[in-house]
Amino acid sequence: MKAKLAVLATSIALIGTVQMAVAAEKPSGHPGTPETEMRYKGAPVPIKPEEAKETITPKAPPLTTAEFTRAKQIYFERCAGCHGVLRKGATGKPLTPDITLPRGTDYLKVFINYGSPGGMPNFGTGGELSDADVNLMAKFLQHEPPTPPEYGMKEMKASWKVLVPPEARPKKQENNYNLSNIFSVTLRDSGEVALIDGDSKKIITIVKTGYAVHISRLSHSGRYLYVIGRDAQVNLIDLWMKTPDNVAVIKTGLEARSVDTSKYKGYEDKYAIAGTYWPPQFTIMNGDTLEPLKIVATRGYTVDTQEYHPEPRVASIVASHFKPEFVVNVKETGQTLMVDYSDINNLKVTTIGTERFLHDGGWDASKRYFMVAANQRNTIAVVDAKEDKLVKLVKEGVGKIPHPGRGANFNDPKFGPVWATSHLGDETVVLIGTDPVKHPKQAWNVVRTLKAQGSGSLFLKTHPKSKNLWVDTPLNPDAGISQSIAVFDLKNLDKPFEVVKIAEMAKLGEGAKRVVQPEYNKAGDEVWFSVWNGKTQESAIVVIDDKTRKLKAVIKDKRLVTPTGKFNVYNTQHDVY
């Protein structure tokens, strides 16, 4: 009895604390958009609930088969993106029975209901979950996590389709488009990409893909476009066709984020690689057919405490310009793998211990050093792709939850070559020196900190021919901030940023109208922005003149459903950012 009273007392205290935190939050400012939708949270996991078998834990509250099915669906849709499929923790804390059982149902209901100041959404009071569902999830979390099935060569081969064999494809470009200035635009909620002609600003075609495409990458030649959805489906699109379309498709797992192709001399276009969240592994494929050739698991031990982790997800992958290698970043263990693809039957993998919770990143201007964010450790790891070694973990001066995308390279007028990242957790943009030869004192240190509009930034971008640095803030809870962009003058970084009201230029109706991911055209004189609205609302692409910072074009079309990421063919092909 005393134990129950203690739990209730703790719960009441927690309710009061969380209620005060929630009450102190600013309203979203987005009509019809709940505040929880504006927070940084894990996206739904595209794993079918029926695929994950439940394990009943005797000491946990009993659940029926129907309740288990419902709870699995909620968990994969709402929770797994942050806490992991196996509930071992990632962006969110671990939720395994050794932790949840001692807490009990009442304790867990508080956090599910009210969220936490640390970033967990208030699923109950926010209206996402009913009282019955909150109670259900509090019970469900005390059972062993249901485990999704593995996904190996047999399953990949069954999903693999070569729609147009290489020998039946065009021998030369059959259309008149300026392929190097085409944009591949993710249509997140429709499972498609829009190919837009950067010269005419017209949609060339809409190509069916997997669920919620995460990135687009180009083959070394610029002919083939590779896209990967969060459901781990990889689509290969031939840009030489009269109307570009899919020529091959494969599923490499159940959830994924990353794809890239071989770029080293002598291996151009030979291989493609896809990394998955579930199962935790990467797959090397033929570059022109997507035939799966080699699967490598990433389960292993964490870089810091040397503890075994069963779900270390593959985050970003890039192709080295110095060696026949892929740089594979493993999130939960903090290992950066240098995968030598010169002989995939005798695969050599150099493991570099960097930092846990690796996420996204990009090359410095020399393309020798890979800069990757360990976002939950507020760290940028610098990896030397020529020497295959860790150069430094940059911690001092890095802000809260760095999220660079691929980052931005430019010359600071005072400190020389730098690579920049913005942050999800604060308003800062940090500049890290990247020239160890001519600027050794600045190299691998934060040399300057800029203040942008606010937290919630996902991407920033510049171009070698530009004097501007554009910083988005689509996840900021203030509509005025999330619907606009901050632009800095690279020749005078002490000067305050200018605010450009991108969403206002689009002249759309209701909706969140988040402005996300600046992307340059090939020439570097235009910047493209997505104005990202809801699935049933009108969205747009806004094109800005980089020199004048004035509106140049607005692209609207009913087929532009939830546009987010944009990838210019030339800039993506040559790692220009």
PDB file of all heavy atoms in Angstrom, residues 10 107 121 161 178 190 324 381 390:
ATOM      1  N   THR A  10       4.470  10.469  -6.478  1.00  0.00           N
ATOM      2  CA  THR A  10       5.460  10.843  -7.500  1.00  0.00           C
ATOM      3  C   THR A  10       4.765  11.259  -8.781  1.00  0.00           C
ATOM      4  O   THR A  10       5.142  12.241  -9.430  1.00  0.00           O
ATOM      5  CB  THR A  10       6.401   9.654  -7.787  1.00  0.00           C
ATOM      6  OG1 THR A  10       7.014   9.261  -6.567  1.00  0.00           O
ATOM      7  CG2 THR A  10       7.475  10.046  -8.797  1.00  0.00           C
ATOM      8  N   TYR A 107       2.844   5.536 -13.276  1.00  0.00           N
ATOM      9  CA  TYR A 107       4.015   6.380 -13.543  1.00  0.00           C
ATOM     10  C   TYR A 107       4.178   6.619 -15.045  1.00  0.00           C
ATOM     11  O   TYR A 107       4.386   7.752 -15.492  1.00  0.00           O
ATOM     12  CB  TYR A 107       5.252   5.685 -12.973  1.00  0.00           C
ATOM     13  CG  TYR A 107       6.543   6.482 -13.027  1.00  0.00           C
ATOM     14  CD1 TYR A 107       6.972   7.204 -11.922  1.00  0.00           C
ATOM     15  CD2 TYR A 107       7.340   6.488 -14.162  1.00  0.00           C
ATOM     16  CE1 TYR A 107       8.156   7.923 -11.944  1.00  0.00           C
ATOM     17  CE2 TYR A 107       8.525   7.209 -14.204  1.00  0.00           C
ATOM     18  CZ  TYR A 107       8.932   7.912 -13.092  1.00  0.00           C
ATOM     19  OH  TYR A 107      10.103   8.625 -13.123  1.00  0.00           O
ATOM     20  N   PRO A 121       6.562  14.470 -26.855  1.00  0.00           N
ATOM     21  CA  PRO A 121       5.247  15.096 -27.039  1.00  0.00           C
ATOM     22  C   PRO A 121       4.246  14.659 -25.976  1.00  0.00           C
ATOM     23  O   PRO A 121       4.326  13.555 -25.442  1.00  0.00           O
ATOM     24  CB  PRO A 121       4.809  14.601 -28.426  1.00  0.00           C
ATOM     25  CG  PRO A 121       6.067  14.206 -29.101  1.00  0.00           C
ATOM     26  CD  PRO A 121       6.970  13.678 -28.018  1.00  0.00           C
ATOM     27  N   LYS A 161      13.353  -6.025 -58.715  1.00  0.00           N
ATOM     28  CA  LYS A 161      12.801  -6.048 -60.072  1.00  0.00           C
ATOM     29  C   LYS A 161      13.642  -5.159 -60.989  1.00  0.00           C
ATOM     30  O   LYS A 161      13.873  -3.983 -60.684  1.00  0.00           O
ATOM     31  CB  LYS A 161      11.356  -5.543 -60.083  1.00  0.00           C
ATOM     32  CG  LYS A 161      10.380  -6.400 -59.290  1.00  0.00           C
ATOM     33  CD  LYS A 161       8.976  -5.780 -59.283  1.00  0.00           C
ATOM     34  CE  LYS A 161       8.017  -6.605 -58.432  1.00  0.00           C
ATOM     35  NZ  LYS A 161       6.671  -5.969 -58.361  1.00  0.00           N
ATOM     36  N   ASN A 178      18.237  19.852 -69.794  1.00  0.00           N
ATOM     37  CA  ASN A 178      19.559  20.118 -69.235  1.00  0.00           C
ATOM     38  C   ASN A 178      19.661  19.290 -67.951  1.00  0.00           C
ATOM     39  O   ASN A 178      19.305  19.759 -66.870  1.00  0.00           O
ATOM     40  CB  ASN A 178      19.708  21.617 -68.948  1.00  0.00           C
ATOM     41  CG  ASN A 178      21.019  21.948 -68.266  1.00  0.00           C
ATOM     42  OD1 ASN A 178      21.919  21.119 -68.155  1.00  0.00           O
ATOM     43  ND2 ASN A 178      21.125  23.182 -67.787  1.00  0.00           N
ATOM     44  N   SER A 190       3.199  11.361 -50.512  1.00  0.00           N
ATOM     45  CA  SER A 190       2.564  10.676 -51.643  1.00  0.00           C
ATOM     46  C   SER A 190       3.393   9.517 -52.160  1.00  0.00           C
ATOM     47  O   SER A 190       2.963   8.792 -53.058  1.00  0.00           O
ATOM     48  CB  SER A 190       2.293  11.667 -52.784  1.00  0.00           C
ATOM     49  OG  SER A 190       3.496  12.127 -53.352  1.00  0.00           O
ATOM     50  N   PRO A 324      38.519   3.604 -53.036  1.00  0.00           N
ATOM     51  CA  PRO A 324      37.277   2.887 -53.341  1.00  0.00           C
ATOM     52  C   PRO A 324      36.578   2.475 -52.046  1.00  0.00           C
ATOM     53  O   PRO A 324      36.571   1.305 -51.659  1.00  0.00           O
ATOM     54  CB  PRO A 324      37.762   1.676 -54.148  1.00  0.00           C
ATOM     55  CG  PRO A 324      39.142   1.429 -53.653  1.00  0.00           C
ATOM     56  CD  PRO A 324      39.713   2.781 -53.318  1.00  0.00           C
ATOM     57  N   ALA A 381      32.071  14.985 -35.450  1.00  0.00           N
ATOM     58  CA  ALA A 381      33.237  14.126 -35.623  1.00  0.00           C
ATOM     59  C   ALA A 381      33.870  14.413 -36.978  1.00  0.00           C
ATOM     60  O   ALA A 381      33.175  14.539 -37.987  1.00  0.00           O
ATOM     61  CB  ALA A 381      32.835  12.660 -35.535  1.00  0.00           C
ATOM     62  N   LEU A 390      40.171   8.941 -37.293  1.00  0.00           N
ATOM     63  CA  LEU A 390      39.491  10.050 -36.649  1.00  0.00           C
ATOM     64  C   LEU A 390      40.480  11.187 -36.449  1.00  0.00           C
ATOM     65  O   LEU A 390      41.581  10.989 -35.928  1.00  0.00           O
ATOM     66  CB  LEU A 390      38.916   9.613 -35.295  1.00  0.00           C
ATOM     67  CG  LEU A 390      38.264  10.709 -34.451  1.00  0.00           C
ATOM     68  CD1 LEU A 390      36.991  11.215 -35.117  1.00  0.00           C
ATOM     69  CD2 LEU A 390      37.968  10.194 -33.038  1.00  0.00           C
TER      70      LEU A 390
END
